[in-house]
Amino acid sequence: MHLLPQRRDVAEFRKRYKWMALFVCLIFMVLYGRAIQLQILDHDRYLKVSYENITRHVPIPPTRGIIRDTKGQILATNRPSYDVYIIPSRLGPKDPELIATLMGLTPEEKRRFFNALNSIPARRRSHQIRFFSDISREQLAALQTHVNDLTHRQGRREVSAIEIVVNPVRTYPFRSLGAHIIGYLNEIQSDELPSLRNAGYRLGDRIGRTGIEQAWEHVLRGRRGHRKYLVDADLSRSEKSQAIEVEEAIPGRDITLSIDMDLMRIIERAMRGHPSGAVAVVDVNTGAVRALFSKPSYDPEIMSTGISIEEYAALREDPFRPLIDKTLYEAFFPGSVFKPFSAMAALEEKLMDRSERVRCHGSYRFGGRDFPCNVRGGHGEVDMRGALVQSCNVYFYALAERVGLERIARIAQDFGFGRRTGIGINHESAGFIPTRVWYDQHKIPWRGGFALNSAIGQGDTKATVIQIAMAYAAIANLGKLFVPQLIERVSGPDGMVLASFPPRLRRRVQVSKETLAFIADALRGVVDDPTGTAYAARLPHLKIAGKTGTAQVFQRTRLAEEESSRLEYRKRAHAWFAGFAPAERPEMAIVVLLEHGGSGGRFAAPIAIQILNEYLSPRHETTNSLAMAGSSPSQSNLTRKSQHERRSQ
């Protein structure tokens, strides 16, 4: 009677057993599959992760490339910086006080050090953390002398609580001179890292911010290396790690500029006494930039190694704007240095003859308004050459009324005004050349006075210092407009030239050589003719061609040059001189801008002529000496006698 219920229980158990067995088999199959995935399919991945857990990578920073001038003088190089890394978990009870004493910390610096040390979370206390950067040699010597006092036994080994790591730091031997060209570095910010990580940058790396350092970052920076070795659980080097895997860093390439720092020193001396301005000097036959000087400047070494918030705020709030590159970034009213291009427009369009005379009474009546000349009493009757030599505004007002704004704009744009030169650094400004179309597009009611103002470099006309320098170089070489060249060559650390950069011709201007020769002759008269605006600054032994300019910035009736210098500083005109030398066989074109400097003839021209004299005269004397060495004794004596007579004049 009891057999039937028993059989039913056994059948029910067997039925459940099958499901339990199936479930267990499925579990084991999943575990087996997971084991296959971990041990076989993902073996390489997890082997790499496990290997990373027991290895330590020490980065080897690359040496940044050196920047030199055209004569080989070093403009930017590297020096060793000693950074102190501390492993907080290894510090003994008295070690923080000892470190503060050895470092010679002030009470405030000591307080900040202790606070930083105590704020390290427990999970990071076994990591190496940088606490001090670029310590002095005295601090380095003190730490190295007492390193044994900071070494403690852990288990069977002795481990140090600190490590001193050497990193290269950028240094600039000429400091603020040429800072806008060379640029500076500073650390990458956390918000920049996502866009730079793929290029190999890490938090704490320095990157070029301005100048050559920024524009040629990819050439100068090099590539980071690393050193790899095994570590124990406390992240110290394992005793089993005999060999160290090393991938050497690749140093950056060196760059040689066309800049001549000897010329930059000459300019710096000549610009003393003037708070703000800019100078550009270019080779008229190649477009090589020999000098770009912007004043005031800043110290790139301070900007690279660390500048306080207060110091940076002072630079930004300085009314003379030391952070601005005045040769490239900012455009100014060019004033009368623009007049040669207005004259070329009249000659090329055959709308005025160079011998045609205009009577100047001191002002020009147009549209019911009097446009003043730069000389209140007027210049009398002047032709085109006389108008350029004496900088007669009235002549160019009459020229503009006949020629029109569009033709003047066409010639100006052909010489590179209103467009970037392509120099490639510091966010170059394009300047501005107004046209009738532009006024129409901006719904500005047209006035004939726009053309009159533009013809003398005022109104809405603006240009950069480098644009004017390249344009005057094109006049000097009879029509070749070059791209300004800053880089001469790129070299490896061994000195091997990897790339060189020949002159780049932008275009030949659409102006006849006859017109260019006439303009060049008129520019020589500006300096050599007794009526010329730069005659007082002339030098008998060095023939210079150029044009002075006094560009008004104060919105009021234009003042005579002798009155503008009495205005409050911010209301004074900009003083300009643009020209080239030697006048017979031009080598260098120069532009000098004195921001709010007053009269161009009185202040800018003497500076430009002083710079050209100091730079060119020794070169010509060397050439003459070499020539004399190959001449007869009597010829040499005559040459030396003539040189002595020129110097005594």
Side-chain angles (χ1 to χ4, degrees):
M1 296 293 294
H2 298 286
L3 291 177
L4 186 58
Q6 268 189 331
R7 287 174 182 172
R8 287 178 180 175
D9 292 342
V10 171
E12 185 68 22
F13 175 76
R14 287 176 178 175
K15 190 175 182 181
R16 293 180 180 179
Y17 174 77
K18 290 178 181 179
W19 286 107
M20 291 172 61
L22 179 61
F23 179 75
V24 171
C25 288
L26 288 174
I27 293 296
F28 273 96
M29 288 177 65
V30 169
L31 294 175
Y32 186 68
R34 179 61 174 164
I36 291 175
Q37 180 188 6
L38 294 175
Q39 297 295 326
I40 299 176
L41 299 180
D42 292 341
H43 172 268
D44 293 339
R45 174 189 168 193
Y46 287 104
L47 179 64
K48 182 179 178 181
V49 171
S50 64
Y51 186 68
E52 291 293 333
N53 287 336
I54 62 170
T55 59
R56 180 182 171 196
H57 296 256
V58 177
I60 303 174
T63 302
R64 195 171 178 89
I66 296 172
I67 302 175
R68 296 181 173 87
D69 80 341
T70 188
K71 294 178 178 176
Q73 298 181 88
I74 293 177
L75 310 182
T77 186
N78 310 287
R79 62 174 176 82
S81 167
Y82 300 94
D83 300 342
V84 179
Y85 288 79
I86 298 175
I87 302 177
S89 64
R90 294 181 179 176
L91 290 173
K94 299 180 179 179
D95 286 351
E97 188 69 36
L98 176 59
I99 292 173
T101 302
L102 296 175
M103 292 289 294
L105 302 182
T106 64
E108 177 59 25
E109 291 171 338
K110 181 178 177 181
R111 184 187 64 80
R112 288 201 300 266
F113 169 56
F114 283 1
N115 288 343
L117 194 61
N118 294 329
S119 64
I120 303 298
R123 59 185 174 80
R124 295 193 64 230
R125 296 189 71 82
S126 60
H127 294 189
Q128 273 192 334
I129 300 170
R130 185 175 63 181
F131 278 85
F132 303 101
S133 299
D134 199 14
I135 62 174
S136 67
R137 293 186 178 275
E138 292 76 14
Q139 292 171 323
L140 173 65
L143 289 173
Q144 289 179 332
T145 302
H146 294 83
V147 69
N148 291 334
D149 298 332
L150 297 165
T151 301
H152 309 287
R153 177 168 292 278
Q154 289 187 355
R156 293 176 299 169
R157 292 176 301 144
E158 289 188 343
V159 293
S160 177
I162 69 167
E163 183 174 351
I164 299 172
V165 178
V166 184
N167 286 311
V169 167
R170 207 62 163 165
T171 183
Y172 303 90
F174 286 90
R175 305 306 288 247
S176 63
L177 185 61
H180 294 94
I181 311 168
I182 303 163
Y184 65 88
L185 316 176
N186 64 23
E187 283 195 11
I188 292 172
Q189 304 300 312
S190 57
D191 58 340
E192 299 176 292
L193 193 58
S195 61
L196 295 172
R197 197 188 301 274
N198 291 337
Y201 290 96
R202 299 180 182 180
L203 202 61
D205 286 353
R206 288 182 168 87
I207 189 171
R209 295 298 187 185
T210 62
I212 297 297
E213 295 278 30
Q214 180 190 43
W216 291 78
E217 168 73 15
H218 63 290
V219 173
L220 291 166
R221 64 178 291 235
R223 192 175 72 190
R224 178 188 287 104
H226 69 270
R227 183 181 293 109
K228 184 188 294 184
Y229 55 85
L230 298 177
V231 295
D232 289 334
D234 62 356
L235 300 181
S236 60
R237 183 174 171 181
S238 172
E239 294 177 348
K240 298 177 181 178
S241 179
Q242 300 297 326
I244 298 176
E245 180 183 334
V246 177
E247 180 181 337
E248 295 293 345
I250 298 176
R253 310 303 186 191
D254 298 344
I255 290 178
T256 299
L257 305 183
S258 60
I259 297 295
D260 187 340
M261 291 307 289
D262 291 337
L263 175 57
M264 292 286 285
R265 287 194 189 98
I266 292 171
I267 295 171
E268 184 181 39
R269 290 195 299 268
M271 290 288 285
R272 287 174 183 167
H274 297 278
S276 181
V279 179
V281 181
V282 300
D283 189 314
V284 302
N285 298 308
T286 65
V289 179
R290 297 304 178 198
L292 284 178
F293 179 86
S294 181
K295 184 178 181 178
S297 187
Y298 57 84
D299 189 339
E301 199 153 320
I302 294 176
M303 300 289 283
S304 295
T305 57
I307 184 171
S308 68
I309 296 175
E310 295 77 13
E311 289 173 325
Y312 188 69
L315 286 175
R316 293 196 61 169
E317 294 168 7
D318 189 321
F320 297 115
R321 297 160 300 153
L323 296 176
I324 297 295
D325 184 351
K326 296 182 176 70
T327 63
L328 305 174
Y329 181 80
E330 191 162 1
F332 302 87
F333 300 117
S336 294
V337 297
F338 188 77
K339 287 177 180 176
F341 307 98
S342 300
M344 282 186 264
L347 293 175
E348 289 300 296
E349 296 292 339
K350 302 188 185 320
L351 295 172
M352 286 188 78
D353 187 85
R354 65 183 68 172
S355 62
E356 182 178 343
R357 304 178 76 83
V358 173
R359 179 168 290 278
C360 171
H361 297 287
S363 65
Y364 187 78
R365 188 74 176 173
F366 179 81
R369 175 187 165 192
D370 287 330
F371 288 77
C373 192
N374 57 311
V375 174
R376 178 170 295 176
H379 295 91
E381 284 194 355
V382 290
D383 58 10
M384 185 176 287
R385 186 181 188 279
L388 286 168
V389 169
Q390 301 175 62
S391 199
C392 177
N393 287 347
V394 167
Y395 181 93
F396 284 93
Y397 294 145
L399 179 150
E401 186 178 5
R402 192 180 304 180
V403 176
L405 183 63
E406 296 300 320
R407 294 185 180 93
I408 294 173
R410 184 186 67 78
I411 291 293
Q413 290 168 352
D414 195 28
F415 275 87
F417 292 102
R419 296 180 175 89
R420 294 178 179 87
T421 64
I423 195 170
I425 62 170
N426 292 349
H427 307 289
E428 182 187 4
S429 171
F432 184 69
I433 297 297
T435 62
R436 181 72 178 265
V437 173
W438 182 84
Y439 286 113
D440 292 341
Q441 288 176 345
H442 290 78
K443 296 180 172 53
I444 300 174
W446 172 256
R447 298 176 183 175
F450 292 158
L452 272 64
N453 283 325
S454 291
I456 63 168
Q458 295 280 176
D460 294 305
T461 302
K462 285 195 171 183
T464 63
V465 172
I466 190 64
Q467 283 176 338
I468 298 173
M470 301 311 297
Y472 270 74
I475 295 174
N477 63 39
L478 298 181
K480 291 182 286 187
L481 182 67
F482 286 99
V483 175
Q485 178 188 352
L486 267 178
I487 309 298
E488 285 189 353
R489 60 187 176 273
V490 175
S491 309
D494 57 355
M496 180 180 293
V497 176
L498 305 176
S500 58
F501 301 89
R504 285 195 297 157
L505 184 65
R506 193 171 174 183
R507 64 174 165 274
R508 288 187 175 273
V509 297
Q510 299 302 305
V511 176
S512 67
K513 289 187 177 180
E514 292 76 17
T515 296
L516 290 168
F518 167 75
I519 295 296
D521 177 68
L523 297 179
R524 285 193 287 271
V526 171
V527 181
D528 286 343
D529 194 300
T531 63
T533 53
Y535 181 73
R538 76 195 183 286
L539 294 174
H541 62 277
L542 179 63
K543 297 298 182 182
I544 296 172
K547 183 74 189 75
T548 61
T550 306
Q552 304 295 326
V553 296
F554 184 42
Q555 296 298 319
R556 204 178 79 178
T557 302
R558 190 170 287 109
L559 300 175
E561 287 190 0
E562 61 270 15
E563 293 180 339
S564 64
S565 61
R566 294 198 295 268
L567 287 172
E568 185 268 327
Y569 176 79
R570 286 291 168 192
K571 297 178 181 179
R572 294 179 194 170
H574 296 324
W576 289 93
F577 181 87
F580 49 87
E584 302 83 2
R585 289 188 175 182
E587 297 177 20
M588 299 294 165
I590 187 170
V591 176
V592 172
L593 163 68
L594 301 180
E595 199 172 11
H596 304 291
S599 167
R602 187 181 302 174
F603 300 108
I607 290 175
I609 292 173
Q610 175 188 341
I611 292 167
L612 290 171
N613 181 48
E614 286 193 45
Y615 186 59
L616 292 177
S617 293
R619 296 172 58 177
H620 292 164
E621 288 176 3
T622 301
T623 303
N624 292 336
S625 298
L626 293 174
M628 285 190 294
S631 61
S632 64
S634 59
Q635 289 174 324
S636 300
N637 291 335
L638 287 172
T639 305
R640 282 194 291 268
K641 181 179 179 182
S642 64
Q643 287 179 345
H644 176 74
E645 289 173 350
R646 283 201 303 270
R647 291 195 194 97
S648 63
Q649 288 178 350

